[in-house]
């Protein structure tokens, strides 16, 4: 599970993959994929890195762990594969997206167009057992993704970090570069969206910050249709 990247992450992460903790994580993952149903597909584990090169990162949206039911997770936080039912949290993201900047909801939950524009959709834990949320919490992924956040924090170019919910907010201490912007609110989950997520305007605030720093803003409006994979 040490990936090969066709972008600058290859050089940036090569030493991380050689560290002892990652070698242990890899051994555990091999056993997990061998003995259980694990999401996403092992070839999709690092899609957040494949789709968003380090040099292109403008925004980071941090999630906790992948969706844990069939046909959903594909390596991008909050995103589901074409054809999958849109999860409740993502439905609420779409509601805020429309209220904030007028993007109409679409009939899919596939967020790759954001990743392609420099929005890194990063989960803190990159894998999960079927029907067992947070089941890979202690495998070692957080050591890896915390280091990734530290690497992004070192970027000279301004980055927007969007932290939804208490779990993501706990990563705030890793973001110390004053060039960056941190946007935080409650999680878009139905249990918490009414307590600070709705009305937080993360999309317009992110774009205003990017434009103020001479960076092309994100087109947050998603394509109406995507091809089934």
């Amino acid at each position: 599970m040490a990936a090969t990247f066709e972008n600058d992450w290859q050089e940036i992460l090569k030493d991380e993959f050689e560290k002892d903790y990652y070698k242990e994580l890899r051994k555990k993952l091999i056993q997990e994929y061998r003995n259980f149903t694990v999401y996403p597909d092992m070839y999709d584990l690092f899609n957040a890195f494949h789709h968003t090169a380090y040099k292109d990162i403008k925004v980071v949206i941090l999630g906790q762990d992948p969706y844990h039911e069939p046909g959903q997770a594909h390596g991008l936080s909050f995103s589901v594969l074409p054809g999958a039912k849109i999860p409740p949290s993502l439905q609420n993201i779409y509601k805020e997206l429309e209220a904030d900047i007028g993007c109409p909801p679409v009939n899919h939950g596939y967020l790759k167009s954001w990743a392609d524009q420099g929005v890194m959709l990063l989960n803190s834990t990159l894998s999960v057992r079927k029907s067992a949320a947070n089941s890979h919490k202690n495998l070692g992924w957080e050591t890896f993704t915390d280091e990734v956040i530290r690497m992004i924090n070192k970027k000279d170019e301004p980055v927007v970090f969007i932290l939804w919910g208490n779990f993501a907010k706990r990563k705030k201490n890793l973001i110390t570069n004053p060039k960056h912007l941190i946007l935080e609110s409650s999680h878009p989950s139905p249990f918490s969206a009414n307590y600070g997520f709705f009305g937080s305007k993360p999309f317009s605030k992110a774009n205003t910050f990017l434009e103020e720093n001479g960076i092309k803003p994100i087109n947050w409006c998603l394509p109406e249709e995507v091809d089934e994979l």
Side-chain angles (χ1 to χ4, degrees):
M1 279 66 176
T4 300
F5 302 104
E6 295 182 1
N7 58 33
D8 51 7
W9 283 114
Q10 184 67 34
E11 182 66 23
I12 292 167
L13 291 174
K14 68 176 185 179
D15 291 340
E16 206 64 24
F17 288 137
E18 294 303 316
K19 291 181 179 178
D20 288 342
Y21 86 87
Y22 190 87
K23 291 178 179 178
E24 285 302 308
L25 168 61
R26 186 176 184 275
K27 291 177 184 177
K28 294 173 186 175
L29 282 171
I30 290 170
Q31 291 302 313
E32 286 288 308
Y33 274 95
R34 184 174 294 160
N35 296 314
F36 301 94
T37 299
V38 175
Y39 299 123
D41 184 284
M42 68 176 65
Y43 296 106
D44 290 337
L45 275 173
F46 293 97
N47 275 348
F49 301 86
H50 290 305
H51 295 318
T52 309
Y54 181 86
K55 66 179 178 59
D56 295 331
I57 296 172
K58 301 176 182 180
V59 179
V60 177
I61 299 180
L62 186 65
Q64 186 163 351
D65 68 333
Y67 297 116
H68 53 265
E69 297 302 333
Q72 293 183 312
H74 65 105
L76 302 181
S77 65
F78 294 99
S79 180
V80 293
L81 286 164
K85 183 179 179 181
I86 302 172
S89 291
L90 186 52
Q91 291 179 27
N92 285 337
I93 290 170
Y94 286 177
K95 289 177 183 177
E96 179 62 18
L97 185 59
E98 184 172 29
D100 185 7
I101 56 176
C103 293
V106 292
N107 63 359
H108 62 84
Y110 192 55
L111 305 181
K112 183 175 176 290
S113 70
W114 292 358
D116 290 340
Q117 296 178 74
V119 181
M120 189 164 195
L121 299 167
L122 180 67
N123 278 316
S124 184
T125 300
L126 300 189
S127 59
V128 67
R129 285 186 193 176
K130 179 182 177 180
S131 304
N134 226 12
S135 50
H136 281 183
K137 178 182 179 182
N138 297 316
L139 283 192
W141 277 126
E142 287 192 21
T143 303
F144 174 74
T145 54
D146 281 1
E147 187 59 33
V148 168
I149 294 170
R150 291 187 187 97
M151 291 171 179
I152 299 171
N153 178 61
K154 293 177 182 177
K155 280 176 67 77
D156 287 331
E157 301 84 4
V159 174
V160 182
F161 288 84
I162 296 178
L163 309 180
W164 288 329
N166 291 333
F167 174 83
K169 291 176 186 178
R170 287 197 291 270
K171 304 298 182 180
K172 187 175 179 178
N173 66 318
L174 303 175
I175 307 162
T176 58
N177 188 334
K179 293 182 178 181
H180 304 323
L181 174 67
I182 299 173
L183 298 175
E184 52 186 318
S185 74
S186 64
H187 196 276
S189 159
F191 301 106
S192 57
N194 287 314
Y195 299 96
F197 174 74
F198 289 136
S200 61
K201 302 184 181 299
F203 308 103
S204 60
K205 289 177 180 177
N207 276 355
T208 296
F209 176 79
L210 293 174
E211 290 180 301
E212 287 173 350
N213 284 279
I215 300 169
K216 184 179 179 180
I218 305 298
N219 176 12
W220 294 103
C221 296
L222 293 158
E224 290 186 12
E225 302 289 341
V226 292
D227 293 332
E228 295 277 347
L229 298 182

